[in-house]
Amino acid sequence: INTLKENNEMAELLHKEELEKMEMEKRLDATRLEVLKSQINPHFLYNTLNVINSIAILEDVPEISELATGLGDMFRYNISGGSLVTVMDEITQIERYANIQKLCMAGRIETVFDVPEEVRGKKILKFLLQPLVENCFEHGFSQDKRDGRIGIRASSEEGVVTLTVEDNGAGMSEARLKQLTEKCREQGSLCLEKEETDSIGLLNVNFRLKNYYGEEYGLILESEVGRGTKITI
């Protein structure tokens, strides 16, 4: 009887492992598909942006020239190698992104940077800040808001770098804040877009932090409806 019971338990365990393997393969296939969909020849895009910039200069349209140059610099940063960059590298990329957004939004949003000299050369994971700043622009501000403000700050104490992204936008409800905080605390894998369309960037930054630095690291979220949101790395 014991042998039969052990065999049944083993069969159930193998079945469970097989189901988990199938689920993981499905997630990997979905991720590969997203990567394929987003692929574009980098030389084609960069050369096209240079052509747009040249035409804009010839036609004396500085806004278009600025957009093309900024986007080209952003793209070059994105495809450059290495997973670690300096804090200042990330800040420079955010300045490019913010300038493009402000041109598109007619300058409605002010960005303020507070990055002390002693922090600028510290090494951090690449692509930590842009997803968080994107959330500020996309979810924090309504189309008619004229006094939007995003603050990006950096500090370092005892070898630990702290980065904050704070806006004075719409904020989020207490229930939504609690939901996202729990997801960040319990997250065990990268998030696919279909799962969390409005917070995929935030959750994936959180996962990368934990995966690289350890479980004690990640994002701290603070928010209040009508007052804004603050995210601390």
Side-chain angles (χ1 to χ4, degrees):
I1 295 175
N2 286 340
T3 302
L4 180 60
K5 181 180 178 182
E6 289 172 358
N7 287 341
N8 288 338
E9 289 176 350
M10 180 63 70
E12 289 179 6
L13 179 61
L14 290 173
H15 180 63
K16 181 180 178 182
E17 289 179 351
E18 185 64 25
L19 289 176
E20 289 176 349
K21 182 180 177 182
M22 290 172 61
E23 180 63 26
M24 180 62 72
E25 288 175 350
K26 285 168 61 179
R27 292 172 66 89
L28 286 173
D29 286 342
T31 302
R32 291 189 191 104
L33 179 60
E34 290 303 313
V35 170
L36 287 172
K37 285 163 60 179
S38 65
Q39 280 183 339
I40 186 170
N41 186 305
H43 296 293
F44 168 77
L45 179 56
Y46 199 70
N47 289 339
T48 302
L49 289 170
N50 282 334
V51 171
I52 293 172
N53 180 46
S54 298
I55 294 172
I57 292 172
L58 288 172
E59 297 294 331
D60 193 24
V61 188
E63 293 85 0
I64 294 177
S65 174
E66 189 174 347
L67 281 170
T69 302
L71 188 57
D73 289 341
M74 283 188 67
F75 184 70
R76 184 167 53 188
Y77 178 81
N78 287 350
I79 64 174
S80 62
S83 59
L84 292 177
V85 295
T86 66
V87 170
M88 201 59 211
D89 288 335
E90 280 285 279
I91 293 297
T92 301
Q93 180 74 341
I94 294 306
E95 288 177 329
R96 297 181 187 125
Y97 173 76
N99 286 339
I100 291 173
Q101 282 283 25
K102 285 187 282 186
L103 280 169
C104 295
M105 302 173 75
R108 294 188 295 109
I109 309 299
E110 177 190 15
T111 50
V112 180
F113 297 88
D114 181 7
V115 186
E117 185 68 36
E118 64 270 18
V119 184
R120 296 179 182 182
K122 300 285 187 182
K123 289 294 183 74
I124 60 173
L125 276 178
K126 196 175 185 179
F127 302 126
L128 290 184
L129 289 176
Q130 187 174 330
L132 307 185
V133 176
E134 284 179 358
N135 275 356
C136 296
F137 279 101
E138 293 177 13
H139 305 298
F141 301 112
S142 61
Q143 291 299 312
D144 59 350
K145 188 173 180 62
R146 297 291 172 180
D147 56 351
R149 187 175 188 274
I150 301 172
I152 297 96
R153 296 179 177 82
S155 62
S156 178
E157 185 175 352
E158 297 182 355
V160 177
V161 173
T162 299
L163 305 167
T164 62
V165 176
E166 185 173 8
D167 67 57
N168 65 342
M172 65 182 82
S173 68
E174 186 176 342
R176 179 57 174 160
L177 177 62
K178 182 179 179 182
Q179 180 188 44
L180 275 179
T181 299
E182 289 176 355
K183 281 182 178 291
C184 286
R185 186 185 301 119
E186 299 169 0
Q187 187 178 5
S189 65
L190 286 171
C191 178
L192 296 178
E193 189 168 358
K194 63 182 180 181
E195 297 171 341
E196 276 286 353
T197 55
D198 63 344
S199 57
I200 178 174
L202 181 151
L203 291 172
N204 284 343
V205 167
N206 181 69
F207 174 77
R208 291 177 61 228
L209 286 165
K210 290 182 177 297
N211 189 55
Y212 188 87
Y213 294 107
E215 280 297 317
E216 66 270 32
Y217 293 90
L219 300 181
I220 299 172
L221 312 179
E222 303 170 67
S223 189
E224 187 177 340
V225 173
R227 300 287 300 270
T229 299
K230 178 180 179 180
I231 303 176
T232 303
I233 303 176

